[in-house]
């Protein structure tokens, strides 16, 4: 697929236009600033507030070579020369069970997928549970059964863990934290610094399913739609794609903040632009309709069983063919292209032929969905 040119054809920008463009570029290069004095829900939404909190508090507090990469997981080299991917994540979703999955499925899939994004083959997980006093043992057993089934399907073992109990009202029922380790095959390297102009941006399937499924499962929303979460382990699909496209540059699963936020993070790191094509963005009609009713852009809605990949153009067709032959990749499609024409900006070519900027997520448009 060839994307429409994202640049506007005219005689060239005026001096004033150039000045504005340069100011925008300079602003986007600035490190996020934390100006808040207390934590708000927006700090957990995956957008600008989250980035500011992470940069000002956690990166400054724990600064080291691995942490400053700000990937979904750390890539660690053992004395033997072998490389491991190591990742951790916490899950605080409400309701605990929703169409298509549960917090137990998320707790496994979220960490497994983060490891897969580093090119690793996930192998082992830990699981820590924070239980609220009064939580039903039978419900906990069901959640644990979901985790066991998800781990078996993903080919990983849960090998260690921890349990804490807190007073009534202190944990919203159940919180789960998982950490995982996986081995990265020799010679495989996925990193933002490998991305270059002309590369293709691929999504493995429909976007927005998980976020909307959780939103609609909440009793406070009187909307009915047949939407199920996409929560799944993408590890096997990733290995299938990488076998067909060994020169894959970079991958990320668009969870909190969705595709729009992940693309902005990539643009900021690389200094390159990304042009997305609205006409080919895979959004189910039910998800699109629910987003319209709630005033939410599908580009910012969380996914739990999809991933973005930046591919060498020469390998894109082979990658798509391999993905579409896999049960989880039948709807894989090229949705955009990397460009050096618009600076570190994400632009969306609309269905009507115009272009709009897709900025980093601001605020907290979606309550907890992972």
């Amino acid at each position: 697929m060839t994307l429409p040119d994202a640049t506007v054809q005219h005689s060239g920008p005026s001096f004033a236009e150039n000045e504005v463009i340069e100011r925008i570029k300079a602003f986007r290069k600035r490190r996020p600033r934390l100006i808040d004095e207390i934590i708000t829900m927006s700090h957990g939404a995956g957008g600008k507030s989250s980035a500011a909190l992470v940069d000002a508090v956690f990166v400054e507090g724990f600064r080291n070579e691995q942490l400053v990469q700000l990937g979904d997981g750390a890539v660690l080299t053992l004395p033997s020369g072998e490389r491991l991917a190591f990742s951790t994540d916490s899950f605080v979703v409400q309701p605990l069970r929703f169409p298509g999955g549960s917090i137990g499925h998320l707790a496994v899939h979220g960490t497994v997928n983060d490891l897969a994004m580093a090119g690793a083959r996930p192998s082992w997980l830990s699981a820590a549970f924070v239980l609220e006093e009064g939580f039903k043992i039978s419900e906990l057993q069901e959640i644990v059964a979901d985790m066991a089934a998800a781990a078996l399907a993903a080919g990983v073992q849960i090998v260690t863990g921890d349990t804490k109990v807190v007073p009534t009202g202190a944990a919203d029922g159940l919180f789960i934290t998982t950490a995982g380790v996986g081995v990265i095959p020799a010679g495989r390297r996925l990193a933002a610094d490998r991305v270059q102009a002309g590369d293709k941006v691929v999504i493995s399937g429909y976007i927005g399913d998980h976020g909307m499924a959780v939103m609609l499962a909440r009793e406070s929303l009187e909307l009915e739609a047949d939407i199920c979460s996409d929560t799944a382990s993408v590890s096997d699909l990733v290995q299938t794609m990488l076998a067909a496209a060994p020169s894959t540059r970079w991958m990320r699963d668009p969870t909190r903040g969705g595709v729009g936020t992940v693309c902005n993070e990539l643009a900021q790191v690389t200094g390159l632009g990304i042009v997305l094509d609205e006409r080919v963005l895979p959004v189910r009609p039910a998800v699109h309709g629910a987003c319209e009713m709630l005033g939410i852009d599908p580009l910012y809605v969380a996914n739990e069983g999809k991933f973005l990949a930046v591919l060498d153009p020469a390998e894109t067709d082979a990658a798509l063919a391999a993905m579409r032959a896999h049960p989880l990749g039948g709807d894989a499609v090229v949705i955009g292209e990397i460009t050096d024409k618009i600076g570190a900006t994400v632009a969306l070519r609309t269905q009507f032929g115009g272009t709009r900027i897709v900025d980093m997520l601001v605020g907290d448009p979606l309550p907890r969905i992972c």
Side-chain angles (χ1 to χ4, degrees):
M1 184 192 82
T2 301
L3 251 156
D5 189 356
T7 58
V8 179
Q9 302 297 323
H10 53 60
S11 59
S14 67
F15 175 80
E17 289 174 326
N18 274 326
E19 187 175 11
V20 171
I21 291 171
E22 291 305 315
R23 286 182 179 179
I24 292 174
K25 289 181 180 180
F27 180 80
R28 286 176 173 271
K29 290 180 180 178
R30 293 192 310 180
R31 292 174 60 180
R33 291 190 304 141
L34 182 66
I35 60 176
D36 305 287
E37 295 184 357
I38 61 172
I39 297 295
T40 68
M41 292 302 293
S42 65
H43 290 115
K48 289 184 177 180
S49 294
S50 295
L53 179 69
V54 168
D55 186 77
V57 177
F58 302 119
V59 173
E60 285 302 311
F62 305 136
R63 183 174 295 278
N64 60 68
E65 182 180 351
Q66 290 296 331
L67 184 64
V68 297
Q69 303 300 318
L70 293 179
D72 282 340
V75 175
L76 308 173
T77 303
L78 301 179
S80 64
E82 292 181 294
R83 292 179 304 144
L84 298 179
F86 177 40
S87 183
T88 188
D89 208 343
S90 295
F91 301 87
V92 295
V93 66
Q94 278 294 337
L96 298 179
R97 194 170 294 280
F98 42 83
S102 73
I103 190 172
H105 295 109
L106 292 182
V108 172
H109 296 152
T111 295
V112 165
N113 291 348
D114 284 348
L115 295 172
M117 294 303 98
R121 298 180 184 274
S123 299
W124 305 283
L125 299 182
S126 69
F129 298 82
V130 177
L131 302 168
E132 182 181 355
E133 182 183 21
F135 194 74
K136 293 182 178 180
I137 296 292
S138 59
E139 190 171 358
L140 177 61
Q141 290 174 323
E142 291 175 356
I143 296 298
V144 168
D146 289 342
M147 293 181 68
L152 180 64
V156 298
Q157 291 182 307
I158 299 173
V159 294
T160 188
D162 184 50
T163 303
K164 295 291 189 295
V165 178
V166 297
T168 301
D172 213 1
L174 168 68
F175 297 156
I176 303 176
T177 296
T178 53
V181 176
V183 178
I184 302 174
R188 179 176 293 172
R189 179 173 176 269
L190 299 165
D193 61 17
R194 299 187 63 225
V195 175
Q196 53 192 279
D199 286 346
K200 303 299 182 181
V201 181
V202 169
I203 187 74
S204 63
Y206 284 98
I207 65 173
D209 291 356
H210 174 71
M212 283 295 97
V214 174
M215 287 285 288
L216 297 180
R218 293 195 168 108
E219 296 179 1
S220 57
L221 291 178
E222 297 181 358
L223 296 176
E224 293 185 6
D226 186 18
I227 301 173
C228 289
S229 169
D230 62 345
T231 182
S233 165
V234 300
S235 178
D236 189 62
L237 177 60
V238 165
Q239 300 303 324
T240 297
M241 185 199 73
L242 290 176
S247 298
T248 296
R249 320 294 198 198
W250 171 94
M251 292 188 299
R252 183 66 59 87
D253 55 336
T255 51
R256 286 185 307 169
V259 170
T261 298
V262 168
C263 285
N264 269 279
E265 292 172 346
L266 178 62
Q268 291 301 306
V269 171
T270 62
L272 296 169
I274 302 174
V275 180
L276 303 175
D277 190 344
E278 187 177 40
R279 294 172 297 181
V280 295
L281 282 176
V283 183
R284 299 184 195 278
V287 171
H288 187 272
C291 285
E292 279 199 332
M293 293 185 68
L294 296 171
I296 298 170
D297 188 334
L299 282 170
Y300 297 115
V301 179
N303 312 270
E304 290 291 348
K306 302 296 187 302
F307 67 90
L308 280 170
V310 177
L311 303 178
D312 181 334
E315 296 179 347
T316 300
D317 287 344
L320 287 175
M323 293 171 75
R324 289 168 179 168
H326 190 281
L328 292 180
D331 299 302
V333 64
V334 175
I335 61 170
E337 184 173 312
I338 307 297
T339 178
D340 57 5
K341 305 295 185 183
I342 58 175
T345 302
V346 181
L348 181 72
R349 193 72 166 175
T350 70
Q351 297 185 33
F352 305 104
T355 303
R356 69 174 176 87
I357 300 298
V358 178
D359 202 357
M360 181 73 86
L361 179 66
V362 178
D364 183 31
L366 290 173
R368 290 191 335 225
I369 40 73
C370 62

